[in-house]
Amino acid sequence: MNMSRRFGKLMRRILLADTNRNQESGNKRDLGAESETEQLYASVTQNENQLRFIYNNCSDVIYRSFLIGGKLRALLVYIDGLTDTEGLDRDVLAPLMREESAAQDLEQLIDGQLSVSQVDPVSTFAQCMEYLSEGSAILLCDNKTTGFSLGMAKWEKRAIEEPQAEIGIKGPREGFTETLRISTSQLRRIIKSPLLKMETMRIGQYTRTNVVVTYIEGLADDSLVAEVKTRLSRIRIDGILESNYLEEMIEENNSSPFPQTLSTERPDVVSSCLLEGRVAILVEGSPFAIVVPVTFISLIQSQEDYYQRSTVSSIIRWLRYSFILLALLLPSVYVAVLTYHQEMVPGPLLISMASSREQVPFPALIEALMMEIVIEVLREAGVRLPKQVGAAVSIVGALVIGQASVQAGLVSAPMVIVVAITGIASFMIPRYATGIAIRLMRFPLIFLGGTLGLVGVMMGVIALFLHLGHLRSFGVPYLSDIASPKLNNWKDVLDRAPWPKMNTRPQYADLHHLRRQPPPSASGQERKDDN
Amino acid sequence: MTQTGSRPRALLYLIPFLLLLGGCWDRTELNDLAIITALALDVAEDGNIRTTVQIIIAQNQGGGGQQLGTNSSGGGKRTVVRSATGADIADALSKLQRLSPRRLFWGQSKIFIFSEAVARTGIQKHLDFLLRFPKSREQGYVFVSKGKAMDVLDLFPQIERSTSEVLRELNDLEVGMRVTLQQLSGMLTGEARSAGLPIIYILPKGKSAEPFQTIPYLVGTAVFKEDKMIGSISEKTTRGLMWLRNEIEEYTVVFKVPGTEGIVSLRPIKADIKLIPSIDNEKWTMTVKVKTQGDIVQNGTRLNPVDPEVIKIMDKAFGKEVEERIHMALQEVQTRLKADLFGFATEFHRKYPKQWDLVKENWEQKFPEIKVNIDIQAQIQRTGSINFPGGLPDEGGHEE
């Protein structure tokens, strides 16, 4: 049969495009681009057949054939569970079936009868598939090669909840959800200016995931926005399940443990980044947005620094900086001092450390590695475990590490203290990804400390700084905040300047809009100066 | 990219294994160290040198967290003493290592004790080792012991962990001279070529205490000229010496006010001493300018120090007391022992380098001839929480 041959050809080309993706990715992008040319037929049955062919073995696609006003054959297609069937029955089927004047045009019927707000014309199968996958219902009728997509998407979604990974005392309590449009609406509610742009892209051969690139026009550097879009459009992958997929696809250095993008589930954090002239990427299906570019300092700052009084925040920042150093260095320095530099410890302290180590059979290096690994295991297990078991495991873990191992003489008490302080200190870092990177870094440092002493630790620290200095996030050097000779750039590093003093945006924002607020002298008058 | 990138990456992963090649050759676990806290030097029977070290017994320190451990806390002794003889310290120490299953660790040794016998024969050759040996601390304190130095280490104090800890703490109170190894070397090599070291005595043990359960304590100063101990000065003279050396701190002065009964005590005393040398027609004089203040802590007289007339008398008596102390120290050290512990040599050298060059060689003869003027400005600053003598009825009553 002529028609089935046509379908066969279509599907073959689709499959071919998929398998030869690598070779011809230049011109043949994906399924959508492939079937773009396939126009809808004028016959409803033909259309239905083709759709049934495309959605072969897809039991969740529902076809409802009916007559408009008892005369004109029409077809309603939607995906079960994605579309509001009740609304469809009430607002589409009921008025159309009861329609008296069947001769009238479908456009007129839609204008006059259908109480649906979002209606788009569709003319190709590709468009149909696109809309269907988003939850719209497709309305087709005889004698017309254009159908209509009715935006009646409705599916079960998670309500807006408090962010799980970024908890704060002060500040908004809502976090992004998996639903892209809810996330964008949350941003729009915060930044109402029409200069807040949201450009949608679809990434993923099969998942066809909606990705929104959002920025504030004028604040974000144009070349940055262009670069983000180019890097995103270069992605050829079968699916995007989480924003980390994109994160790794667009960052400069994959092998570094340090994140080169900021991943956050808080709309307020994203908004503050947008106001600083950065670009955010929201991904359908993930409550985590990506923000670029970032610097190391911005990754160890918390949103709450900006919600509390500046003096308080500044002190907390210092506390955080010092404990980050502690989390990184304490175990390695402890091991190094204990095995190589005993004369550095004050006498009484050394004596009590010696007495507690007296029965420990392991060298300090092994002891430290052992305990650090155990604490990492406990942390990881704590995340994975079902809530009901979690408490039990943490109690057992705490007892095993803290009490039993010391009593059994396997581990010395000071080592437990060191490991515990390090473990707690690493959670001072507000961004989980940064914290985990720093936590990982301490293992090579312990190893260096145990083999080469403090010299080794210093070598490790120097290597770490060289690496950090080498990293770039969308062209912005990772350590640019603390490498800057301009005092103005330090206002958000050493302390948190009070908001009246927070006059300028970071250097990577659009150079013409570096001012956040007019200088105190020119009060009231918005001035665009170049700082 | 993966083709070219894989080789450097693989090499990168190999780097950690390089560290293993060293095999931690320099590593010494804390468990393998014998932590030495003090070194004592005695003259052995055969004329050799006897070195004695005090080693911490880590197991018996308590607070180690081994509640289930075999040792009940407080049962065992906290330190052990090992001793060996040899031709010199280095020889003796190498023999000492054979007596210790753990490696001797000098990093925490902060106490060095010479017995009086060693001190009198000269400490230069021993000092050379202590300063040359890289593992010993130059910031360690040096003492001279009355009697055998090793006996000082073989005591078991009840309050502190070890006798070395006792000595260190006592020294930190600055009740007497406090001299580190480095300072001692500086004093002996400086212009004056004389030094003073605190003298250790052993406190007679209390009646209820076990044998050896007592502490060493510091009384007076051993005076060195060149590298030999030539004599000692008493506790009171030491105080005067410290006045002159400007080392007075946390210190009580007791004096009588003329015309009254009872005594007045001042504490703490603040003092500022300036040594002003002058040479006038070959006549060398040293003016000691003392500016001192103190607060009354006990008033045993019936005088009311709030009265400005009375306080003037008291100031005078206070000054006189200080002057007497300094005078006594001068008498003992300058006239009797002829050792320049005050640093007069340095002062003269600084102000009169040319004249100094002439007398440098026979400073020993010149020093006792120097005339010393004492110029004291003493002042009582505060009278404490009460004004009138406590426990006395007064027409004004007591004031808070």
Side-chain angles (χ1 to χ4, degrees):
Chain A
M1 231 172 93
N2 183 28
M3 200 193 298
S4 66
R5 206 178 297 145
R6 246 186 86 172
F7 296 153
K9 204 171 114 194
L10 167 67
M11 289 322 288
R12 261 204 310 280
R13 276 167 65 186
I14 290 168
L15 287 172
L16 201 71
D18 187 25
T19 47
N20 299 346
R21 180 164 61 89
N22 286 332
Q23 286 93 326
E24 39 183 308
S25 55
N27 41 21
K28 287 187 176 138
R29 273 200 186 171
D30 47 27
L31 196 77
E34 177 57 29
S35 49
E36 232 158 55
T37 47
E38 299 293 331
Q39 293 289 322
L40 288 172
Y41 302 102
S43 147
V44 165
T45 23
Q46 251 183 329
N47 281 335
E48 188 181 341
N49 280 341
Q50 175 141 12
L51 279 171
R52 277 185 191 275
F53 188 83
I54 293 171
Y55 284 107
N56 188 22
N57 288 344
C58 296
S59 59
D60 54 341
V61 182
I62 310 289
Y63 307 89
R64 171 67 163 98
S65 185
F66 64 103
L67 292 172
I68 296 176
K71 282 168 194 150
L72 186 63
R73 169 71 43 196
L75 176 70
L76 197 62
V77 189
Y78 63 92
I79 294 177
D80 200 13
L82 286 185
T83 314
D84 177 14
T85 28
E86 252 175 63
L88 216 53
D89 294 349
R90 189 180 60 238
D91 303 328
V92 180
L93 284 179
L96 286 181
M97 285 164 113
R98 287 197 202 107
E99 177 57 44
E100 302 290 306
S101 49
Q104 274 178 339
D105 206 26
L106 192 58
E107 276 93 344
Q108 284 175 6
L109 279 175
I110 284 168
D111 286 350
Q113 299 292 331
L114 294 189
S115 43
V116 178
S117 62
Q118 199 179 335
V119 177
D120 296 302
V122 286
S123 54
T124 65
F125 284 105
Q127 282 177 326
C128 285
M129 293 188 301
E130 198 115 301
Y131 280 113
L132 278 174
S133 68
E134 280 177 358
S136 299
I138 303 290
L139 179 64
L140 303 167
C141 71
D142 259 342
N143 308 325
K144 275 193 78 73
T145 54
T146 47
F148 290 93
S149 115
L150 312 173
M152 306 195 73
K154 185 185 183 187
W155 62 82
E156 289 306 317
K157 42 193 134 182
R158 195 164 63 91
I160 294 178
E161 282 172 22
E162 203 169 335
Q164 298 296 309
E166 295 163 70
I167 300 158
I169 293 170
K170 232 185 144 194
R173 296 210 188 280
E174 57 172 40
F176 288 131
T177 65
E178 286 79 359
T179 316
L180 183 65
R181 281 304 158 198
I182 296 182
S183 303
T184 55
S185 74
Q186 282 172 308
L187 286 181
R188 183 66 76 182
R189 258 191 291 138
I190 298 173
I191 305 172
K192 299 182 184 71
S193 162
L195 288 173
L196 174 69
K197 303 298 177 198
M198 301 206 180
E199 295 186 35
T200 307
M201 299 173 93
R202 286 192 161 229
I203 300 174
Q205 187 98 20
Y206 289 95
T207 58
R208 314 274 307 124
T209 313
N210 274 318
V211 172
V212 166
V213 177
T214 173
Y215 55 94
I216 298 180
E217 200 173 82
L219 294 191
D221 199 35
D222 290 339
S223 57
L224 171 69
V225 177
E227 178 66 22
V228 170
K229 285 195 275 191
T230 331
R231 287 196 197 178
L232 282 176
S233 63
R234 245 188 260 142
I235 296 172
R236 307 270 177 277
I237 194 171
D238 52 355
I240 302 286
L241 301 185
E242 215 280 330
S243 57
N244 182 55
Y245 284 51
L246 290 183
E247 214 172 300
E248 289 190 16
M249 298 293 259
I250 61 174
E251 71 191 1
E252 273 105 329
N253 187 342
N254 280 131
S255 52
S256 171
F258 288 92
Q260 293 137 60
T261 59
L262 190 150
S263 180
T264 177
E265 52 175 338
R266 297 187 65 113
D268 52 328
V269 172
V270 171
S271 306
S272 90
C273 290
L274 291 177
L275 288 171
E276 282 174 2
R278 304 198 228 180
V279 177
I281 301 162
L282 302 166
V283 180
E284 174 94 64
S286 166
F288 288 92
I290 309 169
V291 178
V292 288
V294 290
T295 57
F296 184 66
I297 292 296
S298 69
L299 286 176
I300 53 179
Q301 288 171 348
S302 155
Q303 73 279 350
E304 244 184 291
D305 293 353
Y306 300 94
Y307 301 157
Q308 279 172 345
R309 298 191 56 74
S310 69
T311 38
V312 176
S313 312
S314 303
I315 290 163
I316 289 176
R317 263 187 190 175
W318 274 105
L319 206 64
R320 192 181 300 138
Y321 292 149
S322 45
F323 269 75
I324 287 171
L325 278 181
L326 214 63
L328 188 66
L329 293 175
L330 186 63
S332 47
V333 169
Y334 180 74
V335 168
V337 164
L338 223 55
T339 35
Y340 293 97
H341 317 280
Q342 290 94 350
E343 60 280 342
M344 279 179 63
V345 191
L349 181 62
L350 184 76
I351 289 166
S352 52
M353 288 201 303
S355 71
S356 67
R357 268 196 62 79
E358 200 53 34
Q359 308 206 323
V360 178
F362 306 108
L365 171 63
I366 303 294
E367 197 188 356
L369 282 177
M370 219 164 62
M371 291 303 284
E372 289 289 352
I373 288 172
V374 166
I375 209 167
E376 284 302 302
V377 165
L378 272 179
R379 185 199 54 76
E380 181 67 16
V383 176
R384 304 287 154 243
L385 281 166
K387 266 188 190 131
Q388 293 85 337
V389 230
V393 167
S394 59
I395 290 167
V396 170
L399 278 179
V400 166
I401 301 186
Q403 195 101 39
S405 56
V406 173
Q407 278 191 356
L410 293 176
V411 177
S412 66
M415 184 61 85
V416 173
I417 296 170
V418 164
V419 169
I421 290 177
T422 330
I424 296 294
S426 66
F427 287 104
M428 287 280 284
I429 306 164
R431 307 274 159 234
Y432 188 70
T434 324
I436 225 164
I438 285 178
R439 269 210 298 285
L440 281 181
M441 280 301 105
R442 71 176 185 239
F443 285 95
L445 283 178
I446 292 172
F447 196 67
L448 281 167
T451 48
L452 298 175
L454 283 183
V455 181
V457 175
M458 265 337 281
M459 275 164 56
V461 170
I462 290 170
L464 183 66
F465 267 87
L466 283 179
H467 171 68
L468 286 178
H470 185 66
L471 276 184
R472 272 160 190 275
S473 166
F474 277 79
V476 175
Y478 213 45
L479 295 180
S480 58
D481 287 327
I482 49 177
S484 171
K486 276 193 184 170
L487 204 62
N488 190 33
N489 294 351
W490 288 75
K491 69 181 185 301
D492 209 15
V493 177
L494 291 183
D495 61 341
R496 205 275 282 163
W499 274 112
K501 299 269 164 56
M502 208 67 110
N503 284 328
T504 51
R505 302 203 157 79
Q507 292 293 307
Y508 41 79
D510 190 300
L511 285 177
H512 301 292
H513 296 85
L514 278 180
R515 277 218 168 270
R516 292 194 91 118
Q517 47 188 343
S521 53
S523 56
Q525 197 79 37
E526 178 70 46
R527 239 175 60 186
K528 281 185 187 176
D529 60 9
D530 48 13
N531 197 21
Chain B
M1 194 202 118
T2 47
Q3 280 294 321
T4 53
S6 64
R7 185 161 295 176
R9 176 72 64 83
L11 285 176
L12 212 70
Y13 286 134
L14 282 176
I15 289 178
F17 293 98
L18 277 177
L19 296 174
L20 287 177
L21 288 178
C24 314
W25 62 276
D26 213 6
R27 181 179 68 93
T28 26
E29 286 297 326
L30 211 44
N31 308 24
D32 304 330
L33 293 180
I35 301 172
I36 293 171
T37 54
L39 168 70
L41 299 172
D42 282 293
V43 178
E45 297 75 39
D46 52 0
N48 280 353
I49 188 88
R50 171 177 288 279
T51 58
T52 310
V53 292
Q54 187 180 51
I55 298 169
I56 288 283
I57 306 176
Q59 248 160 11
N60 293 350
Q61 292 304 316
Q66 54 246 32
Q67 295 99 319
L68 299 179
T70 46
N71 300 312
S72 58
S73 62
K77 298 207 158 85
R78 290 173 156 196
T79 53
V80 66
V81 164
R82 292 283 150 86
S83 130
T85 58
D88 61 1
I89 301 186
D91 183 35
L93 288 185
S94 68
K95 286 177 183 161
L96 202 57
Q97 179 66 74
R98 282 185 230 151
L99 303 177
S100 161
R102 297 188 173 188
R103 183 180 297 184
L104 296 178
F105 175 66
W106 289 95
Q108 299 290 350
S109 171
K110 288 172 190 159
I111 304 291
F112 302 97
I113 307 171
F114 294 105
S115 75
E116 195 179 343
V118 173
R120 287 205 185 265
T121 55
I123 57 170
Q124 185 274 327
K125 52 181 186 276
H126 308 308
L127 216 54
D128 178 79
F129 173 82
L130 295 177
L131 291 168
R132 195 182 295 279
F133 186 47
K135 287 177 183 168
S136 70
R137 288 203 169 207
E138 290 182 351
Q139 295 301 319
Y141 296 127
V142 193
F143 303 88
V144 169
S145 78
K146 204 85 185 165
K148 276 189 165 180
M150 59 186 293
D151 291 346
V152 174
L153 299 187
D154 213 358
L155 299 175
F156 300 99
Q158 283 146 302
I159 300 175
E160 293 293 341
R161 229 191 271 263
S162 61
T163 48
S164 49
E165 189 78 0
V166 171
L167 288 173
R168 201 175 60 79
E169 298 279 353
L170 280 175
N171 227 0
D172 283 346
L173 291 176
E174 303 214 353
V175 287
M177 291 270 287
R178 187 170 72 155
V179 183
T180 66
L181 207 52
Q182 202 175 22
Q183 283 168 341
L184 176 64
S185 132
M187 282 154 95
L188 290 179
T189 53
E191 280 97 357
R193 297 180 64 75
S194 49
L197 291 179
I199 304 181
I200 302 175
Y201 286 79
I202 292 171
L203 193 71
K205 79 174 184 67
K207 272 183 191 150
S208 66
E210 313 265 319
F212 301 111
Q213 235 184 24
T214 181
I215 59 161
Y217 72 116
L218 306 174
V219 183
T221 306
V223 179
F224 283 73
K225 220 151 118 189
E226 302 291 315
D227 69 325
K228 291 188 180 64
M229 176 172 162
I230 51 160
S232 61
I233 54 174
S234 71
E235 178 69 2
K236 207 166 181 191
T237 320
T238 304
R239 295 289 169 88
L241 173 64
M242 286 170 74
W243 275 97
L244 276 162
R245 290 175 59 86
N246 204 2
E247 283 172 358
I248 286 296
E249 233 166 89
E250 283 293 316
Y251 185 56
T252 311
V253 171
V254 182
F255 60 90
K256 272 191 158 176
V257 184
T260 57
E261 286 173 25
I263 50 171
V264 179
S265 292
L266 302 183
R267 180 194 166 90
I269 298 290
K270 274 188 277 179
D272 185 31
I273 286 95
K274 271 199 186 109
L275 299 178
I276 303 161
S278 64
I279 300 178
D280 195 18
N281 289 333
E282 293 298 306
K283 203 174 164 214
W284 292 42
T285 37
M286 178 63 87
T287 310
V288 182
K289 262 202 167 157
V290 182
K291 244 191 193 171
T292 176
Q293 290 110 32
D295 303 345
I296 298 180
V297 285
Q298 189 174 357
N299 181 5
T301 66
R302 292 181 166 246
L303 297 174
N304 180 0
V306 181
D307 186 348
E309 291 304 316
V310 171
I311 203 104
K312 249 181 216 164
I313 298 168
M314 280 187 166
D315 281 349
K316 218 169 220 170
F318 171 30
K320 193 140 185 70
E321 172 68 23
V322 172
E323 190 179 339
E324 257 168 41
R325 281 168 188 239
I326 294 175
H327 207 76
M328 193 165 72
L330 281 169
Q331 193 73 33
E332 282 278 293
V333 180
Q334 192 192 14
T335 320
R336 186 168 72 87
L337 297 170
K338 303 184 177 60
D340 180 11
L341 289 182
F342 317 117
F344 283 3
T346 319
E347 296 296 331
F348 277 108
H349 186 182
R350 267 188 203 145
K351 200 167 175 189
Y352 302 104
K354 278 180 199 148
Q355 287 93 325
W356 166 256
D357 274 347
L358 296 177
V359 296
K360 191 166 66 178
E361 296 306 319
N362 39 12
W363 174 245
E364 217 171 311
Q365 281 93 52
K366 188 82 189 165
F367 173 64
E369 295 165 11
I370 292 168
K371 189 176 180 297
V372 182
N373 299 326
I374 306 170
D375 171 15
I376 293 197
Q377 268 183 291
Q379 197 188 1
I380 293 169
Q381 251 181 346
R382 276 171 286 265
T383 61
S385 309
I386 55 172
N387 293 333
F388 300 100
L392 269 188
D394 196 277
E395 53 292 320
H398 290 205
E399 270 181 47
E400 281 297 308

